[in-house]
Amino acid sequence: MALQASAFPNGFVAGIHAVGWAFIVPCFWFLDRLIAVCKSTTLEQSQRLEQECYLRPLEVFFGSITFFILFLATAPLAFLGFLLWAPLQACRRPFSYHREIPSLPEKATNKGFELTGKASFVFASANLCLLPDSLARFNNLANTQRRATAIGQCIVQGISRPNIRILVDSPSSCGTLSPSSSILPTVNSPTYGATDQSSQQNPRALSSQGLRQQSDVPWEISPLFPANVDILCLEEVFDKRAARKLTNILKLEFGHILYDIGVYACQPPCRCSSFKFFNSGLFLASRFPVLEAQYHCFPNSRGEDALAAKGLLSVKVLIGKNQKQKRVVGYFNCTHLHAPEGEGEIRCIQLEMVTKWIAEFQAANKQPDEDVVFDVLCGDFNFDNCSPDDRQEQSHSVFEEYKDPCRAGPGKEKPWVTGTLLEQPTLYEEDVNTPENLQRTLESEDLRKRFIAPPVPKADFPLVYPETDQPWIGRRIDYILYRESSISKQCRTEIEEVTFITQLAGLTDHISVGLKLNVVMDSDSADE
């Protein structure tokens, strides 16, 4: 699909859409505040206890009445806006595109293949829970707009730092290594309780244990995003204002951003069997130019998940040229699967769609005069590799096509892996409310049991976890997979680093993940 800045075919349609949406926004905002005033996070509850504030019942009572009256008063205007907004969704492209011209042209390409025949690529994925504020509170998160700003700043801070590589043979062979503050930038605490500027004025250097080499895969639990991330995939960026805030911040590092990805209203058009109130929540930022992009919406969502246009985004990016001046490209795919527990059959069908759509996208966009150097699939799969309730998904054929560096086999993780889904009621406890504290928690099996979501048992069967002599890992539902069978024959791939990222502690209920791939191209066969 051709990439255009606007999701609409011309300015007139975009203008009518903007007018319709402007009519809807006041009513939507008052409804959002009506729900939000009645739902507190555990952080807000603890702050009221500390301040001995007993006016909460009055705040809820008068706030609810005020916002309800305003909601009713603006409802007619919203209905008029809906009549303008909904029909226009039939001609809307499934994403908006932002292109930022880099200050240095070489930042948009990777010269590694052209100069040396090898290059490293860094990918990261994070679920941000950037829902409207009222809905985010049901995940024990609030202040969506402030969180979006803080998250964007954290990501830029992490990926723009110098790339310092420390190898550790064993985590017990040394203590915590604290990089010099003259090398690493000082970092303000991104904890949820400190998202306002006045409480982020205490700079300190973040510590890192360095890369561990206990197995075939170098890995790290890091308080910072990996340096020089090439492609970033974000999930649950449902709020449009939050998406624009992220775009404005991340464009400093990523020249190509796809946001507001998905479809709205009746899908398929003119059929009301599935009305989409929210987009897919997917958000993609790339340093490399996006040559092609395609989005598909899952047709089999159910329950509350059917209100969002979850699906698959596939892109083809231009890396540069190889030593033979042949064009080098990569494929990157991101998705967010069905969420409710106990509905693995729906997720398996969605995985079948994902592999089918990826194959069709690559077949349609394959060119004979180019080399493919990576094929990555990532996102929030909403199932793990340890829960008895997820056995069906764990054995899916997608894991035969794509490699999961954290997986030892169906239902079995590698011993160094950590879960990525945090327990929502404890998001603001001291052990997990800063990047360093969350890092230490993930490195301790006893603490992981308190703060990482445990496996989901199968109905009517007692949970036995972990197995004898196996560590307690918890639910890892965020994945970055890679495939070698679809890249050019002369390319060899090896994992340079797997990262579990704690930099967004207190800002989301997921642990971010990163993958660094090293690709070597045989120049002698580059023309084959």
Side-chain angles (χ1 to χ4, degrees), residues 206 287 305 310 315:
L206 289 175
R287 293 186 190 270
D305 253 34
K310 287 185 175 180
V315 299

Side-chain angles (χ1 to χ4, degrees), residues 247-268:
T247 299
N248 289 333
I249 296 173
L250 295 178
K251 69 182 182 182
L252 301 173
E253 295 294 330
F254 298 99
H256 305 268
I257 297 177
L258 296 177
Y259 64 98
D260 197 10
I261 299 167
V263 292
Y264 295 95
C266 297
Q267 296 298 328

Side-chain angles (χ1 to χ4, degrees), residues 203-239:
R204 71 248 191 286
L206 289 175
S207 61
S208 173
Q209 293 284 357
L211 284 178
R212 319 291 180 85
Q213 188 69 62
Q214 291 175 287
S215 64
D216 59 325
V217 178
W219 60 278
E220 179 183 13
I221 299 174
S222 172
L224 292 169
F225 270 81
N228 304 317
V229 170
D230 293 302
I231 304 181
L232 172 69
C233 171
L234 305 176
E235 301 89 47
E236 293 197 12
V237 186
F238 291 112
D239 188 274

Side-chain angles (χ1 to χ4, degrees), residues 97 105 116 215 495:
Y97 173 56
T116 65
S215 64
I495 300 173

Side-chain angles (χ1 to χ4, degrees), residues 183-196:
I183 300 177
L184 279 185
T186 57
V187 179
N188 295 329
S189 174
T191 60
Y192 172 89
T195 54
D196 61 300

Side-chain angles (χ1 to χ4, degrees), residues 76-126:
L77 184 64
F79 180 71
L80 177 60
F82 179 82
L83 295 179
L84 292 173
W85 173 85
L88 296 178
Q89 304 312 308
C91 63
R92 178 186 177 274
R93 299 186 187 95
F95 44 73
S96 297
Y97 173 56
H98 177 87
R99 180 183 179 186
E100 191 79 7
I101 299 176
S103 55
L104 299 174
E106 58 268 21
K107 289 184 67 175
T109 59
N110 190 317
K111 295 290 186 180
F113 290 114
E114 188 172 355
L115 299 177
T116 65
K118 61 182 179 180
S120 293
F121 301 97
V122 185
F123 312 100
S125 176

